[in-house]
Amino acid sequence: MLRPLLALLGLLVALQAQAARTTTPLDAAWRFQRADVAGAEAPGFDDAAWTAITLPHTYNGVDGETGGTPYRGPAWYRRTLDIPAGAGTRRFLEFDGATLAADVWVNGRHAGRHEGGFARFRFDITPLLQPGRNLLAVRVDNTRLPHVAPLGGDFTVFGGLVRPVGLVETPDTHIELMDHGGPGVRVDIETLDTTRARLKVQVQLRNDGSRPAGRELRLTLRDAQGRSVAQQTRRLSLPAGGTDAVTAIVNVPQPHLWQGVKDPYLYRLSAELLDGRDVADTVQLPVGLRQFGVDPQRGFLLNGKPYPLHGVNYFHAGRPGRGVAIGKPEIDEDLRILMDMGLTGLRLVHYQHPAYTYERADELGLVLWTEIPLNSAMEETPAFRDNLYSQLRELVRQNHHHASVAVWGIGNEVYRSDEPIRALLADLHALAKREDASRLTSYAHCCAPDDHPMALQTDLASYNRYWGWYDGQFKDIGPWADKLHAKLPAKPIGLGEYGAGASAIQQEDPPRRPEPGGRWHPEQYQALFHETYAAEIAKRPFMWGTFIWLGFDHAAANRHEGDTTGRNDKGLVTYDRSKLKDAYHLMRAWWQSKPVLHIANKRLSTRPAGTLAIKAYSNAAKATLEVNGKVIGTVDVVDRVAVWPAVTLAAGPATLQVRDDRGSIDRVDWQVEGCAADALGTQRVLQLPREGAAYGSPHARLPLAANEVVLTFDDGPKPGVTERVLQALKAECAKATFFMNGEPMLQNPALAQRVRAEGHTVAMHGHKHLAFGQLPAKDQLADLEAMQKAYRHVIGGDAAAWRFPFLAETPDLRDALRKQNVTVMSVDTGVEDWVQGQSPEVLAERLVKGLREKGGGVVLLHDVHDQTAAALPLMLRRLKQDGWRLVHLQWAEPTR
């Protein structure tokens, strides 16, 4: 009974202290206009036609995440504020974030300007207020400003009042509120061991009154149950209009350490300014007693012991249609998803995050790397440098008290490697150490040599590496780390970023290697990427920290890849948080101590009959697979992966169940498709080499028997028609080759990908449907290059075959294709399907008749004509009745 009473007493004391300082939310009743409106700061301005909104709010909720160019410019917010009459009260407007620069007016008078979109800032508006109704007007501008960071970056800068706004009211004599948005109270751990902690507490005070003020400062440290473990009181005398800074030493016997996710124990410090018996002002801060360190051989250290630091890059709790204008529930949902993965740390990119994120990290035990928005680009101007300094001071002073913060980040991937950027990073590191010598610094390095001076200015060397995605192979990550560690044995090295794109709705098993900027990013490839990286990282405990790019897909307006434009899809979880990708479950098997078991490739729920590999992720030692109740076998789990390499699935429903030796069970239901007994089917696959050969009239004939036929389609994909063609082919289990045009491919990427996903071969026609033979040679080559680019973007990889538009082959372009190992395909039947006005029956008969006369060969059809789609089922039926054998063309994937 004693503990609940003590907790209640602590709560009552806290509530009494908080009553002296009030913060009133100002998130409702705003009027908004996305434009630069002259005179909108004036109290008499009529905003009746403006939109009514509630904060947090962004004016890029739609265009910031759907691709294209989002609006970057000014917008206005207005609301009224009622103030009671009375003296002796100071009033501050507090903004938790306004992107990217904000000017604030009160009753038509300018209260101040803040440049930097992601930190808290305050204005003392006391002299601008009047009793009764007051008008607040805020002009927010997310234009790229040459002296305000960030100047670049692979993310959308969502404009607006993207975080809460409040009115803070205090007495004239109060704890400082104007120190770069910080709390006015600072706690430093001077010494710490298991028997004693020595804390240095600094409190900044201000007297804005016209008379000297005598006060008492009471400092109280309470444990997690609300019991006082240390307290001291000091009398103060503050001159009128003056400031003071008080330093006190607080000793804590037998301290309970903050031990990360194992035991995130927090004390609470209250700094109370007493006016007689009354609490005139108070600030309360969580205090976690811990020490951070790093060792080049042992990695990250928490309280002197190795603490494996692994997690993800967290790019804000954004949501579809809302961007980063979210609240505490979304942050809580994100942290729940991430904590369930078993991570120990987060890198908060690429700018300061909402205050609530740091508070929850303290409580959950997450170790944080948090950074300023020096990203991609810099300006060599004093104004830009001053802005970075200001944003760094804000980051440190607002978050110094958080136990979770271990690393101050001073930048990310600046795309230059000269003396100005080295000097800037050195100066930012020095400023961070002046502001807070107790923590580590880091810069996320990407695009210059690993030992370039710009990579080595900070305490930690951190690298963004994507072998197996942008370049190189998965397996390169291990040798790279070993080589760099040997070259820089005294420097702690880690991975700031690593990852691969993935769409939860694009499925391919086994997957081809995607193009990073392409529209085909199968989920399976991301999983393969992380399977290799996780195993290699686990063998190298010297790495101080490793952070996957990315926890959640995020908005990046200029990206056009995967299944959605305007997104970076390297997240382990989708942007709407509805789907956990397979790589998420893999990392959970690596990081989570609780039993984990997950069958991979569940979303690829329709499978062809035949033999395939089945895979599951587990943190057990062994796992057993059953299919439809039959035991297939028990295998070892190696690097958290269990594989049954050759499982034969027959047509029909298939229930797969995996059980591991920790007692976990997972299952999935698949539909296995096989051909009907009377289907035409594909009798033979003809795999051609990538050697630049040419086939079909007038070139060498394909090696086909007299009763064999190859189906090909030109000019698509076209919605409606191509879909009907696919339905007809599927009904007969028939496979074909589609020579697609670039423009419709780019306009209908999902349809093009569906063709490939259903097992057909996709090759190239022209980029545009042109009278190809009449083009100059340079224009023909340009059309080919545009077509190749479209193919890589939508399908991924390099196309193996090309058919000349209108069969207008030219020797020069033919030679260019030969050098690229691209096969040229023509036709053998000489039967056209583009003659208009034919009924489906007549067209089908003409095509089959042409085949008989030619003795088989390649049939040229067009998946843009309704008459072809209508005739195709009839043609396939005739081919089946007449005993034709269908041959499917394929080309070997290129080696990398």
Side-chain angles (χ1 to χ4, degrees), residues 312-319 330-339 341 343 346 349 526 548-555 567-581 584:
V312 301
N313 287 264
Y314 182 35
F315 214 134
H316 228 309
R319 293 295 189 277
E330 289 78 18
I331 295 173
D332 281 333
E333 180 186 25
D334 284 1
L335 293 177
R336 177 190 59 76
I337 292 171
L338 295 175
M339 289 296 293
M341 194 162 43
L343 45 68
L346 289 176
V349 291
Q526 182 193 53
I548 290 172
W549 188 270
L550 187 68
F552 304 92
D553 293 348
H554 76 86
R567 304 277 172 82
N568 185 319
D569 66 354
K570 295 185 184 69
L572 302 180
V573 183
T574 56
Y575 185 47
D576 64 2
R577 279 57 175 175
S578 68
K579 296 180 179 66
L580 308 177
K581 302 178 188 179
Y584 173 95

Side-chain angles (χ1 to χ4, degrees), residues 186-233:
R186 173 173 172 142
V187 182
D188 287 286
I189 303 172
E190 290 200 327
T191 60
L192 178 65
D193 57 37
T194 57
T195 62
R196 177 173 170 268
R198 175 184 168 92
L199 311 180
K200 182 171 75 172
V201 180
Q202 297 171 284
V203 183
Q204 300 179 63
L205 302 163
R206 178 179 292 273
N207 178 12
D208 285 315
S210 58
R211 296 180 180 180
R215 298 287 187 269
E216 281 190 334
L217 176 66
R218 182 168 65 197
L219 300 174
T220 306
L221 186 71
R222 293 183 173 86
D223 63 16
Q225 288 72 43
R227 298 172 299 206
S228 175
V229 297
Q231 186 177 82
Q232 58 179 270
T233 303

Side-chain angles (χ1 to χ4, degrees), residues 296-297 450-451 463 478-493 540 542-543:
Q297 311 306 320
D450 293 333
D451 60 350
Y463 297 88
W480 165 81
D482 292 338
K483 183 178 179 181
L484 184 59
H485 183 49
K487 190 173 187 178
L488 303 172
K491 191 73 173 180
I493 63 171
R540 293 164 174 85
F542 59 80
M543 301 183 79

